[in-house]
Amino acid sequence: MYEGAVQDLIDELGRLPGVGPKSAQRIAFHLLAADAADVRRLADALTEVKLRVQFCEVCGNVAESERCRICSDPRRGDDVICVVEEPKDVVAIERTREFRGRYHVLGGAINPLDNVGPDDLRISELMTRLADGAVTEVIIATDPNVEGEATATYLSRLIGPMGLTVSRLASGLPVGGDLEYADEVTLGRAFEGRRVVGS
Ligand SMILES: [Zn+2]
């Protein structure tokens, strides 16, 4: 449609999640019209994030060194692990200020339609963490949708026999949605009212 560099930019933007062809075109022309300094900052931020940010060796959250801020914090409890799908869910739960334990980021949810099975998630890493005996409760905070529920059921069957308390966030979260879209109060209440699931 366009020539060379402009079309390359539109193609790259169009590969981003949630950006359709029209949005890609709009962003590309916005960048073309923007100040060179502003575009430079955006380009630098993209380069920097790939250079500096890695995934925490313990929990899988985003980190700027081997361990993330939460795993390196000695004031947080080691007895409870909250299992989430993505790093953005850690941010959503941290906003509620209800939780002072540690996290485990799975990197997604079980989704047969997208060929995502248990082996594609950080489940074996979770089992290794649970095996050291410090953890007494696992809170499963996967998204309140079909994939999140399937993942929660799979995990509770796997963890239950280990003699740990496995709990799931209380209902009241918008069904079918993403954890990150729940407001702090709702998510905080769901956390407080979490229920123990069968072993
Ligand atoms: Zn971590």
Side-chain angles (χ1 to χ4, degrees):
M1 295 231 271
Y2 296 95
E3 282 181 39
V6 176
Q7 190 59 46
D8 289 347
L9 178 58
I10 294 172
D11 290 345
E12 289 305 323
L13 291 168
R15 273 195 257 277
L16 300 174
V19 180
K22 277 195 176 152
S23 301
Q25 193 173 314
R26 203 177 70 238
I27 298 167
F29 281 97
H30 167 82
L31 292 171
L32 273 177
D35 278 351
D38 291 342
V39 178
R40 178 86 262 160
R41 267 204 311 281
L42 174 63
D44 288 347
L46 291 171
T47 312
E48 279 294 297
V49 82
K50 285 311 282 180
L51 280 177
R52 291 197 353 228
V53 180
Q54 47 188 304
F55 292 100
C56 173
E57 62 177 11
V58 178
C59 75
N61 191 13
V62 286
E64 294 208 356
S65 53
E66 264 104 66
R67 292 195 174 198
C68 74
R69 186 176 51 79
I70 293 168
C71 287
S72 337
D73 186 346
R75 292 164 302 177
R76 300 190 69 121
D78 286 318
D79 53 335
V80 188
I81 288 184
C82 178
V83 179
V84 296
E85 294 181 19
E86 304 287 352
K88 62 186 166 57
D89 302 323
V90 173
V91 176
I93 292 171
E94 284 297 285
R95 272 203 308 259
T96 71
R97 299 171 183 274
E98 285 288 332
F99 184 60
R100 297 299 300 162
R102 313 277 182 186
Y103 289 93
H104 192 84
V105 181
L106 294 172
I110 295 172
N111 185 351
L113 294 178
D114 278 350
N115 283 320
V116 181
D119 294 344
D120 301 309
L121 306 173
R122 300 183 64 258
I123 291 176
S124 61
E125 288 88 341
L126 173 64
M127 300 314 281
T128 306
R129 288 180 76 186
L130 298 183
D132 81 357
V135 180
T136 57
E137 182 182 359
V138 178
I139 302 170
I140 303 175
T142 48
D143 287 343
N145 55 26
V146 176
E147 294 79 24
E149 287 299 332
T151 309
T153 304
Y154 180 88
L155 288 176
S156 59
R157 284 189 188 141
L158 204 61
I159 301 166
M162 299 174 80
L164 305 172
T165 301
V166 182
S167 55
R168 181 93 174 98
L169 295 195
S171 49
L173 294 172
V175 174
D178 252 322
L179 211 61
E180 58 163 332
Y181 298 137
D183 66 272
E184 289 149 55
V185 176
T186 308
L187 189 53
R189 277 195 198 130
F191 223 90
E192 258 186 305
R194 65 185 182 270
R195 60 192 154 79
V196 174
V197 292
S199 55

